[in-house]
Amino acid sequence: MLSFIFNRGLQIVPVIIGVTLATFLLAQIIPGDPADVLLGSMASEEARQQLRVALGLNEPIYVQYAIYLKNLLQGDLGQSFTFAQPVTQVIVERLFNTSLLAVAAILLASVAGVAAGTWAALRPGSVRDQGLSVIVLFFNSMPSFWLGLVLILIFGLHLRLLPIGGMQDATGSSGIGSLVAHMALPTITLAAWSLAVIARMTRSSILDVINSDYIRTARSRGVSEVRIVLCHALPNAMPSVITVIGMQMGFLLSGAVLTETVFSWPGIGLAMYQAISTRDIPLIQGGILVLAVAFVLINFAVDILYAYFNPKIKLG
């Protein structure tokens, strides 16, 4: 197992290096001059040139990339133009909020998705199985921002049951109840697509296992269908489901950008949206880098979990 972890760890090193190169090149192709953003359009050309020299923008691109890597190793992601703070500080202050929303969404998607997929697998081809297929297709085809707006319209504006933005009330209330209420709509919005994917994978994995010899043996002994699915089929189907859940966690972190923007949730996604609006290149770079590295590390953890539940993988 340790050898497997070590080999997988070596494989993610070039991936992370590639991520740093991609985020660096992104800044080079984004329209606009950082000097114009910082100094404004009324600044003189001499002042712009002095700022470009100070920022190292006059250096060859390979030198700029070397400086970028050096700063990364020192934990320096640059200075945010929008927030007038170090990018590292901006991201750290909002990382917990994004992680909280993503974890809540993956828990909701996992529990509801596994339950729905198992429930449908108990009666394949039945009305509830076909109903689940329709719901899965609906959630998979629906943009998250559209679902968020619909939930705001129904539960926030018409029914007035839930708050529609932020993490706390206008009065500054910050209790657990207030936090849960503010999290409800963005969590459902973020979890909807992943819930559909997990439900479909759970159903498919259980139906694949159902045709195994040991399942037929259990049936011949008179074991009930519910017990066969819950006690025999579902545990053996879980490795594939766990892989999908882990991958969805990475997608939820990246998908949080739209959800946080719709609900004004103060996380990395909202900060990146504000950075894009103001061409805050250091913050855009830092946000993309953090989310991409988190996605890679989550997939690394999923590989380890999958190998743990399925020892055959370690032999490959």
Side-chain angles (χ1 to χ4, degrees):
M1 188 66 178
L2 290 177
S3 174
F4 174 82
I5 295 175
F6 179 75
N7 290 333
R8 281 292 189 270
L10 288 180
Q11 291 174 9
I12 70 173
V13 172
V15 175
I16 292 179
I17 294 176
V19 167
T20 64
L21 179 60
T23 54
F24 171 77
L25 293 177
L26 176 68
Q28 308 302 313
I29 63 175
I30 291 179
D33 188 346
D36 291 336
V37 176
L38 289 173
L39 298 178
S41 59
M42 302 301 294
S44 64
E45 182 58 33
E46 181 181 358
R48 290 195 185 94
Q49 188 60 33
Q50 290 177 351
L51 183 58
R52 293 190 190 103
V53 172
L55 295 176
L57 300 178
N58 61 324
E59 299 288 349
I61 190 168
Y62 62 87
V63 175
Q64 294 184 44
Y65 180 60
I67 295 173
Y68 177 66
L69 287 180
K70 177 185 175 182
N71 292 336
L72 279 182
L73 293 176
Q74 297 174 347
D76 182 8
L77 296 176
Q79 189 81 4
S80 170
F81 309 152
T82 306
F83 296 93
Q85 293 177 330
V87 172
T88 304
Q89 181 179 344
V90 174
I91 292 176
V92 168
E93 289 176 351
R94 291 159 177 78
L95 182 60
F96 174 78
N97 298 339
T98 297
S99 301
L100 180 64
L101 188 61
V103 169
I106 197 62
L107 287 176
L108 174 62
S110 300
V111 174
V114 170
T118 304
W119 185 61
L122 288 171
R123 297 279 184 92
S126 64
V127 174
R128 67 189 186 192
D129 186 26
Q130 295 174 2
L132 177 67
S133 299
V134 172
I135 294 173
V136 166
L137 179 62
F138 177 71
F139 281 155
N140 283 343
S141 306
M142 184 171 46
S144 60
F145 68 87
W146 183 85
L147 175 60
L149 294 175
V150 170
L151 292 178
I152 288 175
L153 182 64
I154 296 174
F155 294 99
L157 299 180
H158 286 317
L159 300 179
R160 297 185 180 275
L161 294 177
L162 294 168
I164 61 175
M167 285 185 67
Q168 59 184 13
D169 298 329
T171 58
S173 175
S174 57
I176 296 298
S178 175
L179 177 61
V180 171
H182 282 82
M183 286 182 61
L185 295 183
T187 298
I188 294 172
T189 301
L190 193 58
W193 191 84
S194 296
L195 191 158
V197 173
I198 293 170
R200 183 172 57 185
M201 176 56 69
T202 302
R203 176 190 177 277
S204 299
S205 299
I206 290 178
L207 292 181
D208 287 341
V209 174
I210 282 292
N211 297 320
S212 302
D213 291 338
Y214 71 92
I215 295 293
R216 285 193 288 268
T217 301
R219 283 192 178 123
S220 66
R221 294 178 177 177
V223 179
S224 67
E225 195 68 19
V226 174
R227 185 172 181 181
I228 286 175
V229 171
L230 296 181
C231 299
H232 299 283
L234 181 59
N236 286 282
M238 283 308 294
S240 299
V241 177
I242 289 173
T243 302
V244 171
I245 291 174
M247 293 178 63
Q248 291 306 306
M249 183 64 186
F251 289 129
L252 288 179
L253 285 174
S254 58
V257 175
L258 286 176
T259 304
E260 289 181 3
T261 302
V262 170
F263 291 96
S264 298
W265 184 265
I268 296 177
L270 181 59
M272 286 183 61
Y273 171 77
Q274 295 169 339
I276 293 171
S277 302
T278 58
R279 294 183 180 179
D280 189 344
I281 294 177
L283 184 52
I284 296 173
Q285 278 184 306
I288 292 176
L289 179 64
V290 169
L291 294 179
V293 170
F295 185 84
V296 172
L297 295 179
I298 287 171
N299 283 337
F300 174 60
V302 170
D303 285 343
I304 295 174
L305 282 176
Y306 190 75
Y308 177 79
F309 285 103
N310 189 2
K312 295 179 182 178
I313 299 298
K314 290 180 285 188
L315 300 178

